[in-house]
Amino acid sequence: MSDAERRAVARWALVCAERVLPLSNADETSIVAVRDAVERTRAYAEGRSTAAEEISKRFRAGSEANAATTAAGAAAARSVGQASAVAHMGAHALGAAAYAAKAVSLASPERPDAVDEEIRWQLGQLTADERAILAQLPPLGADASGPLGEGLLSRGVPGAAIRAIQAEIGSTPV
């Protein structure tokens, strides 16, 4: 994925992550780190920072998930962490959406349709260009390397969310 394409999908990843940001809960230092990652991702998406500047900082917000006091808060922090990693690898945009869906599922256990609603909302936020860029990614589980390999994003709610998104945008998940 080109830098311009990563910037484009970073915008969508950030929209997904920001939607669940209110679920993020931890000590003030961790919250500041998560909000910093949001602002850095926005700067990258808008062309105000470079991939090189962001790559070294990409997982700071995700590591703050350990400080969260709820599972939903941890998933929200991981969503921001994935969004901030888009500068490194565009497939992390799907990770941001997936962890946002997981945060919603954990925050709304009494609503079995909450994840489907979240995924529909996320898909509605995609521009045509972003959709086309994401459709070029390998299907979840088809590539051994990168965020779409067999790992945390391929299982549970995150895996189901990515598969649903890829099915909708024209990828053919395995």
Side-chain angles (χ1 to χ4, degrees):
M1 201 178 282
S2 72
D3 187 58
E5 290 170 326
R6 288 192 314 275
R7 287 179 191 281
V9 297
R11 186 216 62 88
W12 177 72
L14 185 58
V15 167
C16 294
E18 281 188 304
R19 181 168 158 100
V20 296
L21 196 56
L23 299 175
S24 186
N25 55 11
D27 60 56
E28 188 59 30
T29 302
S30 296
I31 295 295
V32 167
V34 168
R35 292 191 187 282
D36 176 63
V38 165
E39 290 311 312
R40 286 186 296 97
T41 304
R42 186 179 330 284
Y44 176 71
E46 294 173 355
R48 294 183 285 115
S49 72
T50 67
E53 290 170 327
E54 299 309 319
I55 286 172
S56 66
K57 303 172 188 174
R58 69 186 180 273
F59 291 119
R60 287 184 185 170
S63 66
E64 296 303 330
N66 296 332
T69 58
T70 66
R78 286 187 179 98
S79 178
V80 173
Q82 289 284 317
S84 71
V86 171
H88 171 250
M89 191 174 286
H92 285 291
L94 292 173
Y99 274 112
K102 183 174 182 172
V104 166
S105 76
L106 292 167
S108 306
E110 74 288 351
R111 291 186 48 236
D113 59 338
V115 172
D116 290 338
E117 288 174 11
E118 180 65 15
I119 292 167
R120 279 193 302 276
W121 181 88
Q122 292 171 350
L123 288 164
Q125 304 309 302
L126 278 169
T127 67
D129 287 343
E130 292 162 352
R131 198 177 269 262
I133 292 165
L134 291 174
Q136 296 173 35
L137 291 172
L140 182 65
D143 187 357
S145 63
L148 298 180
E150 291 296 325
L152 293 176
L153 288 178
S154 66
R155 298 188 291 270
V157 172
I162 291 172
R163 285 180 185 89
I165 292 167
Q166 288 192 314
E168 178 67 28
I169 63 174
S171 297
T172 310
V174 292

PDB file of all heavy atoms in Angstrom, residues 72-100:
ATOM      1  N   ALA A  72     -13.656  -3.631  27.909  1.00  0.00           N
ATOM      2  CA  ALA A  72     -14.078  -2.722  26.841  1.00  0.00           C
ATOM      3  C   ALA A  72     -13.091  -1.575  26.693  1.00  0.00           C
ATOM      4  O   ALA A  72     -12.760  -1.166  25.573  1.00  0.00           O
ATOM      5  CB  ALA A  72     -15.485  -2.186  27.109  1.00  0.00           C
ATOM      6  N   GLY A  73     -12.600  -1.065  27.804  1.00  0.00           N
ATOM      7  CA  GLY A  73     -11.603   0.006  27.768  1.00  0.00           C
ATOM      8  C   GLY A  73     -10.307  -0.457  27.136  1.00  0.00           C
ATOM      9  O   GLY A  73      -9.673   0.277  26.369  1.00  0.00           O
ATOM     10  N   ALA A  74      -9.910  -1.690  27.421  1.00  0.00           N
ATOM     11  CA  ALA A  74      -8.696  -2.242  26.811  1.00  0.00           C
ATOM     12  C   ALA A  74      -8.871  -2.387  25.306  1.00  0.00           C
ATOM     13  O   ALA A  74      -7.970  -2.053  24.531  1.00  0.00           O
ATOM     14  CB  ALA A  74      -8.358  -3.594  27.445  1.00  0.00           C
ATOM     15  N   ALA A  75     -10.037  -2.862  24.872  1.00  0.00           N
ATOM     16  CA  ALA A  75     -10.289  -3.013  23.437  1.00  0.00           C
ATOM     17  C   ALA A  75     -10.310  -1.645  22.750  1.00  0.00           C
ATOM     18  O   ALA A  75      -9.806  -1.504  21.627  1.00  0.00           O
ATOM     19  CB  ALA A  75     -11.603  -3.757  23.207  1.00  0.00           C
ATOM     20  N   ALA A  76     -10.865  -0.644  23.406  1.00  0.00           N
ATOM     21  CA  ALA A  76     -10.878   0.715  22.837  1.00  0.00           C
ATOM     22  C   ALA A  76      -9.453   1.232  22.668  1.00  0.00           C
ATOM     23  O   ALA A  76      -9.115   1.815  21.631  1.00  0.00           O
ATOM     24  CB  ALA A  76     -11.697   1.652  23.718  1.00  0.00           C
ATOM     25  N   ALA A  77      -8.597   1.007  23.657  1.00  0.00           N
ATOM     26  CA  ALA A  77      -7.194   1.432  23.554  1.00  0.00           C
ATOM     27  C   ALA A  77      -6.486   0.674  22.437  1.00  0.00           C
ATOM     28  O   ALA A  77      -5.679   1.247  21.694  1.00  0.00           O
ATOM     29  CB  ALA A  77      -6.474   1.219  24.883  1.00  0.00           C
ATOM     30  N   ARG A  78      -6.792  -0.608  22.285  1.00  0.00           N
ATOM     31  CA  ARG A  78      -6.187  -1.387  21.195  1.00  0.00           C
ATOM     32  C   ARG A  78      -6.666  -0.891  19.829  1.00  0.00           C
ATOM     33  O   ARG A  78      -5.909  -0.908  18.863  1.00  0.00           O
ATOM     34  CB  ARG A  78      -6.488  -2.872  21.375  1.00  0.00           C
ATOM     35  CG  ARG A  78      -5.675  -3.488  22.493  1.00  0.00           C
ATOM     36  CD  ARG A  78      -5.821  -4.995  22.586  1.00  0.00           C
ATOM     37  NE  ARG A  78      -4.998  -5.482  23.673  1.00  0.00           N
ATOM     38  CZ  ARG A  78      -5.455  -5.749  24.894  1.00  0.00           C
ATOM     39  NH1 ARG A  78      -6.736  -5.602  25.176  1.00  0.00           N
ATOM     40  NH2 ARG A  78      -4.630  -6.169  25.832  1.00  0.00           N
ATOM     41  N   SER A  79      -7.901  -0.439  19.754  1.00  0.00           N
ATOM     42  CA  SER A  79      -8.408   0.127  18.508  1.00  0.00           C
ATOM     43  C   SER A  79      -7.590   1.363  18.124  1.00  0.00           C
ATOM     44  O   SER A  79      -7.173   1.509  16.973  1.00  0.00           O
ATOM     45  CB  SER A  79      -9.892   0.490  18.653  1.00  0.00           C
ATOM     46  OG  SER A  79     -10.382   1.073  17.477  1.00  0.00           O
ATOM     47  N   VAL A  80      -7.337   2.228  19.090  1.00  0.00           N
ATOM     48  CA  VAL A  80      -6.514   3.417  18.829  1.00  0.00           C
ATOM     49  C   VAL A  80      -5.097   3.001  18.450  1.00  0.00           C
ATOM     50  O   VAL A  80      -4.497   3.562  17.527  1.00  0.00           O
ATOM     51  CB  VAL A  80      -6.510   4.368  20.054  1.00  0.00           C
ATOM     52  CG1 VAL A  80      -5.512   5.505  19.851  1.00  0.00           C
ATOM     53  CG2 VAL A  80      -7.907   4.914  20.305  1.00  0.00           C
ATOM     54  N   GLY A  81      -4.564   2.003  19.132  1.00  0.00           N
ATOM     55  CA  GLY A  81      -3.221   1.509  18.810  1.00  0.00           C
ATOM     56  C   GLY A  81      -3.136   0.991  17.383  1.00  0.00           C
ATOM     57  O   GLY A  81      -2.164   1.254  16.672  1.00  0.00           O
ATOM     58  N   GLN A  82      -4.151   0.260  16.956  1.00  0.00           N
ATOM     59  CA  GLN A  82      -4.175  -0.240  15.584  1.00  0.00           C
ATOM     60  C   GLN A  82      -4.272   0.923  14.589  1.00  0.00           C
ATOM     61  O   GLN A  82      -3.589   0.924  13.568  1.00  0.00           O
ATOM     62  CB  GLN A  82      -5.356  -1.195  15.387  1.00  0.00           C
ATOM     63  CG  GLN A  82      -5.200  -2.525  16.092  1.00  0.00           C
ATOM     64  CD  GLN A  82      -4.238  -3.456  15.392  1.00  0.00           C
ATOM     65  OE1 GLN A  82      -4.246  -3.582  14.175  1.00  0.00           O
ATOM     66  NE2 GLN A  82      -3.392  -4.120  16.159  1.00  0.00           N
ATOM     67  N   ALA A  83      -5.091   1.914  14.895  1.00  0.00           N
ATOM     68  CA  ALA A  83      -5.208   3.078  14.007  1.00  0.00           C
ATOM     69  C   ALA A  83      -3.867   3.797  13.878  1.00  0.00           C
ATOM     70  O   ALA A  83      -3.476   4.203  12.780  1.00  0.00           O
ATOM     71  CB  ALA A  83      -6.283   4.036  14.522  1.00  0.00           C
ATOM     72  N   SER A  84      -3.156   3.914  14.976  1.00  0.00           N
ATOM     73  CA  SER A  84      -1.867   4.615  14.919  1.00  0.00           C
ATOM     74  C   SER A  84      -0.811   3.813  14.168  1.00  0.00           C
ATOM     75  O   SER A  84       0.179   4.369  13.708  1.00  0.00           O
ATOM     76  CB  SER A  84      -1.377   4.982  16.324  1.00  0.00           C
ATOM     77  OG  SER A  84      -0.962   3.847  17.034  1.00  0.00           O
ATOM     78  N   ALA A  85      -1.030   2.512  14.008  1.00  0.00           N
ATOM     79  CA  ALA A  85      -0.080   1.663  13.294  1.00  0.00           C
ATOM     80  C   ALA A  85      -0.316   1.645  11.783  1.00  0.00           C
ATOM     81  O   ALA A  85       0.469   1.059  11.048  1.00  0.00           O
ATOM     82  CB  ALA A  85      -0.137   0.236  13.844  1.00  0.00           C
ATOM     83  N   VAL A  86      -1.353   2.301  11.303  1.00  0.00           N
ATOM     84  CA  VAL A  86      -1.643   2.330   9.865  1.00  0.00           C
ATOM     85  C   VAL A  86      -0.502   2.978   9.093  1.00  0.00           C
ATOM     86  O   VAL A  86      -0.233   2.604   7.955  1.00  0.00           O
ATOM     87  CB  VAL A  86      -2.986   3.033   9.580  1.00  0.00           C
ATOM     88  CG1 VAL A  86      -3.196   3.259   8.093  1.00  0.00           C
ATOM     89  CG2 VAL A  86      -4.136   2.203  10.151  1.00  0.00           C
ATOM     90  N   ALA A  87       0.199   3.928   9.702  1.00  0.00           N
ATOM     91  CA  ALA A  87       1.339   4.564   9.027  1.00  0.00           C
ATOM     92  C   ALA A  87       2.378   3.514   8.637  1.00  0.00           C
ATOM     93  O   ALA A  87       3.064   3.652   7.627  1.00  0.00           O
ATOM     94  CB  ALA A  87       1.973   5.617   9.925  1.00  0.00           C
ATOM     95  N   HIS A  88       2.481   2.463   9.416  1.00  0.00           N
ATOM     96  CA  HIS A  88       3.426   1.377   9.161  1.00  0.00           C
ATOM     97  C   HIS A  88       2.872   0.378   8.157  1.00  0.00           C
ATOM     98  O   HIS A  88       3.555  -0.023   7.220  1.00  0.00           O
ATOM     99  CB  HIS A  88       3.750   0.677  10.485  1.00  0.00           C
ATOM    100  CG  HIS A  88       4.536  -0.570  10.328  1.00  0.00           C
ATOM    101  ND1 HIS A  88       3.995  -1.810  10.562  1.00  0.00           N
ATOM    102  CD2 HIS A  88       5.812  -0.788   9.969  1.00  0.00           C
ATOM    103  CE1 HIS A  88       4.914  -2.737  10.347  1.00  0.00           C
ATOM    104  NE2 HIS A  88       6.020  -2.146   9.984  1.00  0.00           N
ATOM    105  N   MET A  89       1.619  -0.029   8.356  1.00  0.00           N
ATOM    106  CA  MET A  89       1.012  -1.043   7.489  1.00  0.00           C
ATOM    107  C   MET A  89      -0.493  -0.789   7.435  1.00  0.00           C
ATOM    108  O   MET A  89      -1.173  -0.795   8.461  1.00  0.00           O
ATOM    109  CB  MET A  89       1.307  -2.438   8.052  1.00  0.00           C
ATOM    110  CG  MET A  89       0.963  -3.560   7.126  1.00  0.00           C
ATOM    111  SD  MET A  89       1.507  -5.157   7.784  1.00  0.00           S
ATOM    112  CE  MET A  89       3.275  -5.043   7.524  1.00  0.00           C
ATOM    113  N   GLY A  90      -0.987  -0.574   6.243  1.00  0.00           N
ATOM    114  CA  GLY A  90      -2.382  -0.204   6.057  1.00  0.00           C
ATOM    115  C   GLY A  90      -3.391  -1.197   6.589  1.00  0.00           C
ATOM    116  O   GLY A  90      -4.507  -0.825   6.957  1.00  0.00           O
ATOM    117  N   ALA A  91      -3.035  -2.463   6.653  1.00  0.00           N
ATOM    118  CA  ALA A  91      -3.968  -3.477   7.137  1.00  0.00           C
ATOM    119  C   ALA A  91      -4.374  -3.236   8.585  1.00  0.00           C
ATOM    120  O   ALA A  91      -5.415  -3.745   9.025  1.00  0.00           O
ATOM    121  CB  ALA A  91      -3.355  -4.868   6.983  1.00  0.00           C
ATOM    122  N   HIS A  92      -3.602  -2.452   9.321  1.00  0.00           N
ATOM    123  CA  HIS A  92      -3.976  -2.139  10.700  1.00  0.00           C
ATOM    124  C   HIS A  92      -5.290  -1.362  10.763  1.00  0.00           C
ATOM    125  O   HIS A  92      -5.929  -1.318  11.811  1.00  0.00           O
ATOM    126  CB  HIS A  92      -2.864  -1.368  11.406  1.00  0.00           C
ATOM    127  CG  HIS A  92      -1.700  -2.218  11.790  1.00  0.00           C
ATOM    128  ND1 HIS A  92      -1.778  -3.183  12.777  1.00  0.00           N
ATOM    129  CD2 HIS A  92      -0.438  -2.255  11.320  1.00  0.00           C
ATOM    130  CE1 HIS A  92      -0.603  -3.779  12.894  1.00  0.00           C
ATOM    131  NE2 HIS A  92       0.228  -3.241  12.020  1.00  0.00           N
ATOM    132  N   ALA A  93      -5.720  -0.766   9.641  1.00  0.00           N
ATOM    133  CA  ALA A  93      -7.018  -0.081   9.623  1.00  0.00           C
ATOM    134  C   ALA A  93      -8.133  -1.068   9.955  1.00  0.00           C
ATOM    135  O   ALA A  93      -9.068  -0.744  10.701  1.00  0.00           O
ATOM    136  CB  ALA A  93      -7.260   0.572   8.270  1.00  0.00           C
ATOM    137  N   LEU A  94      -8.033  -2.273   9.418  1.00  0.00           N
ATOM    138  CA  LEU A  94      -9.025  -3.302   9.739  1.00  0.00           C
ATOM    139  C   LEU A  94      -8.926  -3.705  11.208  1.00  0.00           C
ATOM    140  O   LEU A  94      -9.934  -4.015  11.841  1.00  0.00           O
ATOM    141  CB  LEU A  94      -8.863  -4.514   8.830  1.00  0.00           C
ATOM    142  CG  LEU A  94      -9.214  -4.283   7.360  1.00  0.00           C
ATOM    143  CD1 LEU A  94      -8.844  -5.496   6.514  1.00  0.00           C
ATOM    144  CD2 LEU A  94     -10.676  -3.928   7.193  1.00  0.00           C
ATOM    145  N   GLY A  95      -7.718  -3.683  11.751  1.00  0.00           N
ATOM    146  CA  GLY A  95      -7.538  -3.971  13.174  1.00  0.00           C
ATOM    147  C   GLY A  95      -8.213  -2.925  14.048  1.00  0.00           C
ATOM    148  O   GLY A  95      -8.806  -3.263  15.082  1.00  0.00           O
ATOM    149  N   ALA A  96      -8.130  -1.662  13.638  1.00  0.00           N
ATOM    150  CA  ALA A  96      -8.788  -0.594  14.396  1.00  0.00           C
ATOM    151  C   ALA A  96     -10.295  -0.818  14.419  1.00  0.00           C
ATOM    152  O   ALA A  96     -10.942  -0.704  15.472  1.00  0.00           O
ATOM    153  CB  ALA A  96      -8.446   0.770  13.796  1.00  0.00           C
ATOM    154  N   ALA A  97     -10.859  -1.152  13.267  1.00  0.00           N
ATOM    155  CA  ALA A  97     -12.300  -1.418  13.192  1.00  0.00           C
ATOM    156  C   ALA A  97     -12.666  -2.651  14.016  1.00  0.00           C
ATOM    157  O   ALA A  97     -13.677  -2.670  14.725  1.00  0.00           O
ATOM    158  CB  ALA A  97     -12.714  -1.596  11.737  1.00  0.00           C
ATOM    159  N   ALA A  98     -11.831  -3.674  13.939  1.00  0.00           N
ATOM    160  CA  ALA A  98     -12.106  -4.926  14.644  1.00  0.00           C
ATOM    161  C   ALA A  98     -12.099  -4.736  16.157  1.00  0.00           C
ATOM    162  O   ALA A  98     -12.993  -5.242  16.856  1.00  0.00           O
ATOM    163  CB  ALA A  98     -11.074  -5.975  14.245  1.00  0.00           C
ATOM    164  N   TYR A  99     -11.099  -4.020  16.681  1.00  0.00           N
ATOM    165  CA  TYR A  99     -11.061  -3.790  18.125  1.00  0.00           C
ATOM    166  C   TYR A  99     -12.149  -2.829  18.571  1.00  0.00           C
ATOM    167  O   TYR A  99     -12.632  -2.923  19.699  1.00  0.00           O
ATOM    168  CB  TYR A  99      -9.678  -3.326  18.579  1.00  0.00           C
ATOM    169  CG  TYR A  99      -8.766  -4.492  18.850  1.00  0.00           C
ATOM    170  CD1 TYR A  99      -7.672  -4.750  18.045  1.00  0.00           C
ATOM    171  CD2 TYR A  99      -9.011  -5.363  19.912  1.00  0.00           C
ATOM    172  CE1 TYR A  99      -6.837  -5.828  18.285  1.00  0.00           C
ATOM    173  CE2 TYR A  99      -8.195  -6.447  20.157  1.00  0.00           C
ATOM    174  CZ  TYR A  99      -7.104  -6.677  19.344  1.00  0.00           C
ATOM    175  OH  TYR A  99      -6.297  -7.757  19.588  1.00  0.00           O
ATOM    176  N   ALA A 100     -12.575  -1.917  17.694  1.00  0.00           N
ATOM    177  CA  ALA A 100     -13.716  -1.068  18.035  1.00  0.00           C
ATOM    178  C   ALA A 100     -14.968  -1.932  18.179  1.00  0.00           C
ATOM    179  O   ALA A 100     -15.756  -1.755  19.121  1.00  0.00           O
ATOM    180  CB  ALA A 100     -13.915   0.010  16.977  1.00  0.00           C
TER     181      ALA A 100
END
